[in-house]
């Protein structure tokens, strides 16, 4: 099909699909360079802005990457690792790969509690309305520094006051759970695994194109039926797949 004969809004998508098909067929090699923008303009008979939009579509889905001053290249995707995950109710995740337990550590030493709100995409599951206390952390490998997972905990303000999180009384979500369990062991947990699209800042942190979804694990803690803690763990679906550990409970 001649892209130049299509409506303007379809031209970029058509060029992108044609280039992606050639990439999948190995025409440019594993990490080869694509034709230049002028060459693509001449080949497809479209405006340069259309070519740029087509290349941006491929970048957003992780198919290609730009190198400043050099051009656009086929992006070598990371090998996907199977992540066997155990999420104990009392603390953070224990993750295993084929290489054994992953010793992921916090990479952001400045992470602290702040006030905020539960994002719209979590509101139906978490059911915490109004202002809440929020803890955010980036986990990964320290040497070399590789961010692999984003963790975000939400707790109601009355729990935040009880645990004195804003006074440095609880360094993270795991400490909140320990405190709650010590004062009232009649807690219940639920775990769910799903997916969501990353925000631009999140995608940049985990070096994931914005068109590739995150795998999301959501733990919700309830006390007398009311949510007192919710923690979201996200990793790139391009880098990981998650499996259960049937010999452990609970798992995610």
């Amino acid at each position: 099909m001649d892209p130049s004969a299509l409506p303007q809004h379809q031209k970029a998508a058509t060029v992108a699909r044609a280039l992606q098909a050639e990439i999948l067929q190995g025409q440019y090699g594993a990490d080869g360079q694509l034709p230049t923008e002028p060459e693509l303009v001449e080949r497809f008979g479209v405006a340069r802005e259309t070519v740029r939009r087509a290349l941006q579509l491929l970048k957003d889905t992780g198919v290609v990457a730009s190198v400043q001053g050099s051009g656009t290249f086929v992006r070598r995707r990371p090998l996907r690792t199977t992540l066997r995950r155990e999420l104990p109710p009392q603390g953070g995740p224990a993750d295993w790969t084929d290489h054994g337990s992953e010793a992921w550590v916090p990479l952001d030493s400045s992470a602290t509690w702040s006030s905020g709100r539960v994002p719209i995409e979590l509101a139906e599951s978490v059911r915490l309305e109004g202002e809440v206390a929020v803890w955010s952390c980036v986990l990964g490998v320290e040497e070399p520094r590789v961010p692999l997972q984003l963790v975000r905990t939400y707790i109601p303000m009355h729990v935040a006051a009880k645990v004195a999180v804003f006074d440095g009384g609880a360094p993270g979500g795991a400490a909140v759970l320990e405190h709650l369990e010590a004062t009232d062991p009649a807690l219940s947990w639920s775990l769910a695994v799903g997916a969501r699209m990353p925000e631009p800042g999140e995608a940049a942190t985990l070096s994931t194109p914005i068109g590739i979804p995150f795998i999301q694990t959501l733990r919700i803690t309830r006390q007398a039926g009311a949510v007192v803690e919710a923690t979201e763990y996200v990793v790139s679906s391009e880098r990981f797949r998650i499996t259960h550990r049937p010999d452990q409970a609970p798992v995610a």
Side-chain angles (χ1 to χ4, degrees):
M1 179 181 294
D2 180 7
S4 64
L6 294 172
Q8 181 65 33
H9 68 280
Q10 295 182 14
K11 291 179 180 179
T14 302
V15 172
R17 283 195 294 269
L19 292 173
Q20 184 172 17
E22 294 174 350
I23 291 170
L24 293 175
Q25 292 165 6
Q27 183 167 326
Y28 304 106
D31 49 10
Q33 185 173 4
L34 270 65
T36 64
E37 289 183 5
E39 290 171 338
L40 293 174
V41 167
E42 181 178 358
R43 172 185 167 186
F44 290 104
V46 296
R48 189 159 188 166
E49 180 60 28
T50 299
V51 166
R52 288 176 176 171
R53 290 180 181 178
L55 294 176
Q56 188 62 52
L57 288 172
L58 295 177
K59 292 174 191 174
D60 288 347
T61 52
V63 177
V64 302
S66 292
V67 178
Q68 187 68 31
S70 298
T72 303
F73 295 81
V74 177
R75 179 172 174 267
R76 187 181 292 274
R77 297 196 176 199
L79 294 176
R80 185 176 285 140
T81 301
T82 298
L83 190 66
R84 294 175 294 159
R85 163 162 293 178
E86 174 191 350
L87 268 182
Q90 299 83 358
D95 297 322
W96 284 263
T97 68
D98 295 336
H99 309 293
S101 180
E102 292 291 291
W104 293 355
V105 298
L107 299 180
D108 185 2
S109 59
S110 64
T112 58
W113 287 94
S114 61
S115 60
R117 291 179 178 272
V118 175
I120 294 176
E121 64 269 16
L122 294 181
E124 184 177 353
S125 300
V126 174
R127 298 188 181 280
L128 287 177
E129 299 180 355
E131 195 174 54
V132 296
V134 184
W135 168 271
S136 299
C137 186
V138 179
L139 296 178
V141 179
E142 195 166 25
E143 292 294 340
R145 190 179 189 278
V146 180
L148 296 172
Q149 182 167 237
L150 303 179
V151 181
R152 193 166 290 136
T153 294
Y154 305 92
I155 61 174
M157 280 300 180
H158 73 272
V159 174
K162 183 188 303 182
V163 187
V165 296
F166 293 117
D167 300 327
V176 171
L177 287 178
E178 291 174 0
H179 177 89
L180 291 173
E181 191 174 39
T183 56
D184 185 356
L187 301 175
S188 62
W189 290 269
S190 63
L191 297 170
V193 178
R196 70 171 176 84
M197 299 306 294
E199 298 174 2
E202 295 175 327
T205 297
L206 296 188
S207 299
T208 300
I210 61 174
I212 293 177
F214 282 163
I215 301 174
Q216 173 197 71
T217 302
L218 183 63
R219 178 186 63 208
I220 298 178
T221 307
R222 291 179 174 83
Q223 188 176 58
V227 175
V228 291
E229 178 267 351
T231 297
E232 179 193 41
Y233 304 85
V234 293
V235 295
S236 171
S237 64
E238 182 182 53
R239 185 180 289 272
F240 296 105
R241 60 170 61 91
I242 294 180
T243 63
H244 295 273
R245 284 177 55 85
D247 56 327
Q248 300 285 336
V251 294

